[in-house]
């Protein structure tokens, strides 16, 4: 999780552990723990996606939509994974400069090949820029074949702190050098048969306070067959770089801005063909503001032959003080239209009827805005269709929904930190069991596990012809047998998730980020990522591993934020 997906302001990190074997198609429910001598082993697992090792009845029933890999950097047919650490520092300095780095590990028939790892930062030869305090190189990453050579490229966003001074034409105001503050930047690392190498800056027209690169996605937004890049600009607008891209990073279609609705602030972006017209659409989540009224919104930016249209806020999804922090897009119900999956976190209901207050108690607020998820957060499923997102068919799932392990808790403290569990953090979409329906993973990073506070967990939910269901949901914690590590206070396991088919076996695997505190306190936290294989029975702890900074050859710094977000 980076600055846009913070869970109670805890920055995420992890150490390295080794997994233990376990029979596939099982999971654990932390609702009723039973202690063993060495670790917590929870009672009987809930129903899995398989019965006695047999795939579920829905297996193979969906429409399987496969296309060229957008994340295969070396063209070997396997998806590769970028691990951003925007608060990391490869210099091993004790000072927390936070210039940031991005690590890449390549996929293979046996999963991620750690020996193939590469690390990029702005102090590396061939990478533009200079690593400076607060640059946050890797605050966003995405992938696409920008130069259309058959190999995916890595696009990296940087916040770019206030140390870049430009001279010459366009860089002088009243005879004095112009200093840029938080303008941000985008760069690309080119893919090739031997992996990633060579990097150039993308001309994003970044100016002071634009914030370019803080959120970045790629897609063919004008349907011309060439990938484009979109990034957040000035809070609620988009800046689009229209491909194809030349070897110097210049977009042949130029750079232009697309307006968002009213005054807005974004927290996440995702892309997909929501209306099925063959052109990539874009979806953002965040807050929009009109006068003194602020509300969480899902914003739909339609792709057309002329590019993205102005963003339109979809009403009826969030209440005035309720907003999503993450969004993903994929075909959950197998009908050929990409669906939208986001989360809903109950922020804080102030009874004060003044500016920012609701003037009502929590239950009244929940009834008025028809928000059944105020306890602990929810996953919001919004189907796509010929006319775009179908708000009328929206459904919400939380820990009180049938089939989902656990219980949603009231926010009895009613403080400004809001919901207790943050169910739905870091949502991701992909076909885990290979049945043609995209499934959904979500974190519950503040979930108490046994006697630990905020140890966290991850849940996977099945896609079906009828949409997203909580039935037979699988749940993993660090105390699930076979999962590396042990649940401890403030681990916030599940703060980010990513579904990706690393070994190209037709079953998308699960990545989950969190933090581990070796001494039981957050002060010992180091970032990391758990990697879980998948089968027709769903995600399995068997063969799971955890990747930390040391695995990647990086310093084991506190709060490096490795695994805090995947955002690609």
């Amino acid at each position: 999780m980076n600055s846009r997906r913070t869970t109670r302001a805890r920055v995420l990190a992890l150490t390295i552990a080794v997994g233990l074997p376990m029979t596939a198609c099982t999971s654990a429910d932390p609702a009723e723990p039973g202690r063993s001598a060495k670790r917590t082993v929870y009672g009987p697992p809930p129903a899995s996606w398989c019965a006695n090792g047999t795939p579920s009845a829905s297996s193979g029933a969906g429409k399987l939509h496969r296309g060229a890999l957008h994340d295969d950097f070396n063209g070997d047919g396997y998806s590769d994974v970028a691990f951003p650490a925007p608060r990391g520092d490869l210099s091993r300095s004790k000072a927390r400069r936070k210039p940031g780095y991005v690590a890449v590990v390549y996929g293979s028939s046996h999963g991620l090949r750690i020996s193939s790892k590469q690390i990029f930062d702005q102090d590396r030869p061939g990478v533009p820029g200079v690593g400076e305090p607060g640059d946050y190189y890797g605050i966003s990453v995405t992938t696409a074949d920008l130069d259309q050579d058959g190999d995916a490229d890595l696009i990296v966003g940087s916040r770019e702190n206030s140390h870049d001074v430009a001279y010459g034409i366009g860089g002088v105001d009243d005879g004095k050098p112009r200093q840029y503050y938080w303008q941000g930047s985008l760069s690309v690392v080119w893919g090739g048969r031997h992996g990633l190498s060579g990097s150039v800056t993308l001309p994003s027209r970044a100016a002071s306070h634009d914030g370019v690169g803080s959120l970045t996605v790629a897609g063919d937004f004008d349907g011309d067959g060439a990938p484009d890049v979109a990034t957040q600009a000035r809070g609620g607008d988009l800046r689009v770089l229209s491909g194809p891209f030349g070897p110097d990073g210049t977009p042949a279609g130029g750079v232009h801005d697309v307006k968002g609705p009213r005054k807005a602030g974004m927290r996440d972006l995702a892309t997909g063909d929501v209306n099925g017209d063959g052109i990539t659409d874009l979806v953002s989540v965040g807050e929009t503001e009109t006068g003194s009224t602020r509300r969480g919104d899902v914003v739909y930016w339609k792709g057309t032959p002329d590019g993205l249209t102005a963003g339109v806020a979809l009403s009826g999804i969030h209440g005035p003080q309720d907003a999503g922090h993450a969004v993903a897009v994929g075909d959950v119900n197998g009908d050929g239209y990409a669906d939208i999956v986001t989360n809903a976190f109950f922020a804080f209901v102030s009874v004060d009827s003044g500016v920012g207050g609701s003037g009502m108690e929590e239950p009244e607020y929940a009834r008025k805005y028809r928000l059944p998820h105020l306890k602990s957060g929810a996953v919001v499923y919004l189907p796509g269709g010929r006319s775009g997102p179908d708000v009328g068919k929206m459904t919400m799932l939380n820990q009180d929904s049938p089939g989902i392990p656990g219980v949603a808790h009231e926010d009895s403290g009613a403080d400004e930190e809001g919901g207790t569990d943050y169910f739905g953090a870091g949502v991701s979409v992909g076909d885990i069991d290979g049945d043609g329906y995209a499934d959904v993973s979500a974190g519950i990073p503040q979930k108490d596990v046994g006697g630990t506070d905020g140890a966290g967990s991850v849940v996977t939910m099945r896609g079906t012809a009828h949409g997203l269901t909580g039935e037979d949901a699988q749940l993993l914690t660090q105390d699930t047998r076979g999962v590396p590590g042990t649940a401890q206070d403030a681990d916030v396991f599940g703060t980010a998730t990513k579904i990706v088919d690393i070994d190209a076996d037709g079953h998308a695997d699960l990545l989950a980020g969190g933090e581990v505190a070796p001494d039981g306190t957050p002060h010992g936290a180091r970032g990391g990522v758990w990697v879980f294989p998948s089968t027709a029975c769903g995600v399995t702890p068997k063969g799971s591993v955890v990747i930390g900074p040391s695995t990647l050859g990086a310093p084991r710094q506190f709060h490096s934020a490795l695994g805090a977000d995947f955002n690609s």
Side-chain angles (χ1 to χ4, degrees), residues 88-401:
D89 188 347
L90 295 179
S91 70
R92 301 180 184 271
S93 169
K94 292 182 179 180
R96 295 181 61 193
R97 300 187 311 137
K98 296 185 276 191
Y101 66 86
V102 178
V104 172
V105 181
Y106 291 81
S108 74
S109 60
H110 300 290
L112 291 177
R113 294 184 294 114
I114 300 300
S115 61
S116 69
K117 63 182 181 292
Q118 292 180 286
I119 297 184
F120 302 91
D121 73 345
Q122 290 180 297
D123 289 328
R124 186 168 298 272
V127 177
V130 177
E132 296 171 323
D135 271 359
Y136 289 4
Y137 179 80
I139 195 169
S140 69
V141 296
T142 193
T143 59
D145 184 6
L146 294 190
D147 56 2
Q148 297 184 291
D149 65 351
D151 301 311
D153 308 307
L154 175 67
I155 301 115
V156 182
S158 173
R159 190 173 71 170
E160 292 291 347
N161 207 338
S162 56
H163 293 273
D164 294 327
V165 179
Y167 296 90
I169 298 174
V172 175
D173 285 334
D174 298 325
K176 298 179 181 179
R178 179 189 300 163
Q179 183 120 22
Y180 291 93
Y181 292 88
W182 317 119
Q183 78 275 23
S185 70
L186 286 172
S187 60
V188 57
V189 186
W190 301 112
R193 296 302 166 180
H194 300 290
L196 293 164
S197 64
S199 180
V200 297
T201 299
L202 296 177
S204 59
R205 294 195 327 220
S208 181
H209 300 291
D210 272 0
V212 164
S214 57
L215 300 173
T216 310
V217 289
D220 185 4
F221 304 124
D222 52 15
D224 66 352
D228 313 307
V229 174
T231 182
Q232 178 189 35
R234 295 187 302 275
D237 298 336
L238 293 174
R239 182 154 300 165
V240 180
L241 288 66
S242 297
F245 290 76
D248 62 351
T250 300
V255 180
H256 63 279
D257 288 357
V258 183
K259 296 295 291 183
R262 305 183 295 275
K263 184 178 180 181
M266 296 181 189
R267 289 175 174 166
D268 200 12
L269 304 175
T271 60
D273 188 3
V274 178
N275 63 355
D277 65 355
I279 302 177
T280 308
D281 308 310
L282 187 148
V283 181
S284 65
V285 293
E287 291 182 332
T288 59
E289 187 175 320
T290 304
S292 62
T293 302
R294 180 182 300 173
R295 62 172 296 126
D297 274 315
V298 173
V299 178
Y300 176 58
W301 315 68
K302 181 181 177 180
T304 74
D306 296 319
L308 292 173
T309 60
V312 176
L314 306 178
S315 61
I317 297 176
H318 298 299
Q321 296 175 346
D322 177 74
H325 290 65
V327 64
V329 174
D331 190 2
V332 174
N333 59 7
D335 65 355
Y337 300 99
D339 309 315
I340 300 169
V341 179
T342 182
N343 53 25
F345 292 154
F346 168 49
F348 173 56
V349 171
S350 169
V351 180
D352 181 2
S353 59
V355 175
S358 66
M360 62 188 77
E361 300 285 353
E362 278 183 40
E364 182 184 357
Y365 179 91
R367 286 192 299 271
K368 177 177 179 179
Y369 294 104
R370 289 177 290 181
L371 303 174
H373 60 276
L374 292 191
K375 297 186 296 182
S376 300
V379 169
V380 179
Y381 168 66
L382 188 61
R386 184 170 298 177
S387 300
D390 191 342
V391 178
K393 294 182 179 179
M394 179 186 68
T395 58
M396 293 187 182
L397 300 176
N398 71 357
Q399 292 175 93
D400 286 340
S401 299

Side-chain angles (χ1 to χ4, degrees), residues 441-464:
S441 62
I444 321 175
Q446 291 290 344
K447 186 72 176 178
D448 296 342
V449 178
T452 62
D453 296 330
S457 57
V458 173
V459 65
T460 56
M461 294 163 281
R462 294 175 51 232
T464 73

Side-chain angles (χ1 to χ4, degrees), residues 410-561:
E410 294 277 6
D411 181 19
S412 57
D415 59 24
E416 293 186 5
E417 292 180 340
T420 50
D421 290 346
Y422 287 93
F423 178 86
V427 292
S428 186
V429 176
D431 189 0
I432 292 173
D433 56 359
D435 66 353
Y437 300 104
D439 308 304
V440 174
S441 62
I444 321 175
Q446 291 290 344
K447 186 72 176 178
D448 296 342
V449 178
T452 62
D453 296 330
S457 57
V458 173
V459 65
T460 56
M461 294 163 281
R462 294 175 51 232
T464 73
H466 302 289
L468 185 64
T469 179
E471 296 293 343
D472 296 337
Q474 294 182 305
L475 189 137
L476 297 166
T477 78
Q478 287 184 83
D479 278 352
T480 301
R481 187 174 296 162
V483 176
T486 301
Q488 300 181 80
D489 290 345
D491 276 355
V492 287
F493 171 72
T495 192
T497 71
K498 180 180 176 69
I499 299 176
V500 55
D501 188 2
I502 299 168
D503 54 7
D505 65 353
H507 304 117
D509 309 302
L510 173 67
L511 278 62
E515 70 181 21
V516 133
D519 59 356
T521 71
H523 304 294
R526 300 180 176 97
V529 177
W530 281 260
V531 183
F532 296 96
S534 294
T535 70
C537 303
V539 176
T540 172
K542 184 178 181 179
S544 60
V545 296
V546 62
I547 296 173
S550 295
T551 319
L552 302 171
R556 293 193 301 170
Q557 297 161 322
F558 295 161
H559 307 303
S560 70

